[in-house]
Amino acid sequence: MTLDDPLIEEAYRVLAERPGFLIRRLHQIHVAMFMEECAEFSITPVQYSVLTALVDRPDLDQVTLGAQIGIDRTTTAGVLARLAERGLIQRRASPVDKRMKLAAITAEGRKLLRRMDKKAQRAHDRTIAPLPKEDRAVFLRYLLHLVDASNGYGRAPLHLP
C-alpha cells in the first residue's frame, strides 16, 4: 500500500502524512509484537527497559533511572514497585539521603532478562523487518536523530549515561 494508491481514502491519506500519527501507530504495533513474543514472561516493554538499564548500573536512584529510559518519576516508581513485588529488583533507601530510593536488579531479574533477550530482540527485529536490510540501520539512526534533536520536548527527557 502506498500513499498514491487510489484505494486509500483521503482521510487516511491525510493521517498517513503526519509523522506523529505514524510513530504512534508503529509504537502500538511494536508493543503488540513485544507482548506476543514475550507473553510467557509477563513483562512490559517499559519494565524490560528498566531491568536492562539496571544490569550495568546497580543502585540507581529512581530519578536517574527514569531519566535514562525517558519515563517520568511517577511511572518509574510504579514500574519499580511491580518489579520489586516479583523479586526482579530490590529497592532500598540511599545511605546519603533516606528520602531517595535506590534500585538494583536481583539475580532473578538477571535470569529473567537472559531468558527474554532473544524473544525481545525478535520483537525489535520484527518491527523493522518490512524495511530492506540495507535501510534498517539508517532508519534507526534517523529515529535516534529525531529523539535527540527534540528530546527536551518530552514529558520525561531521555538522559543517556
Side-chain angles (χ1 to χ4, degrees):
M1 179 167 39
T2 62
L3 289 179
D4 56 355
D5 188 324
L7 299 176
I8 295 178
E9 292 182 28
E10 185 60 26
Y12 181 74
R13 191 179 330 275
V14 169
L15 290 174
E17 293 173 350
R18 295 178 181 167
F21 172 81
L22 295 172
I23 291 166
R24 181 187 60 79
R25 183 65 189 132
L26 184 59
H27 179 258
Q28 291 172 329
I29 291 165
H30 172 72
V31 168
M33 288 177 177
F34 182 94
M35 297 308 287
E36 180 180 282
E37 293 289 347
C38 299
E40 69 188 272
F41 307 109
S42 299
I43 292 286
T44 67
V46 172
Q47 291 171 334
Y48 183 73
S49 294
V50 166
L51 290 171
T52 301
L54 289 172
V55 167
D56 294 323
R57 294 176 294 281
D59 290 332
L60 273 181
D61 67 272
Q62 290 181 186
V63 174
T64 302
L65 175 61
Q68 288 187 358
I69 60 172
I71 59 175
D72 62 63
R73 200 178 289 194
T74 302
T75 301
T76 304
V79 168
L80 289 174
R82 286 184 288 283
L83 293 173
E85 285 173 13
R86 292 185 56 187
L88 302 174
I89 64 136
Q90 290 180 323
R91 294 193 305 174
R92 65 182 179 85
S94 166
V96 177
D97 182 348
K98 298 294 184 201
R99 297 169 297 168
M100 186 185 312
K101 290 277 193 179
L102 303 178
I105 191 168
T106 62
E108 189 63 32
R110 287 177 189 279
K111 182 178 166 185
L112 179 71
L113 272 183
R114 283 192 299 276
R115 288 179 42 226
M116 285 186 74
D117 277 342
K118 285 185 180 160
K119 292 187 177 198
Q121 186 58 53
R122 195 163 39 240
H124 294 299
D125 293 343
R126 285 175 61 195
T127 300
I128 60 172
L131 294 174
K133 279 190 175 188
E134 63 275 8
D135 292 344
R136 294 173 191 170
V138 173
F139 176 72
L140 291 174
R141 279 197 311 276
Y142 282 149
L143 284 177
L144 186 58
H145 178 76
L146 289 169
V147 168
D148 188 50
S150 301
N151 190 38
Y153 288 100
R155 189 178 77 202
L158 180 67
H159 298 287
L160 296 174

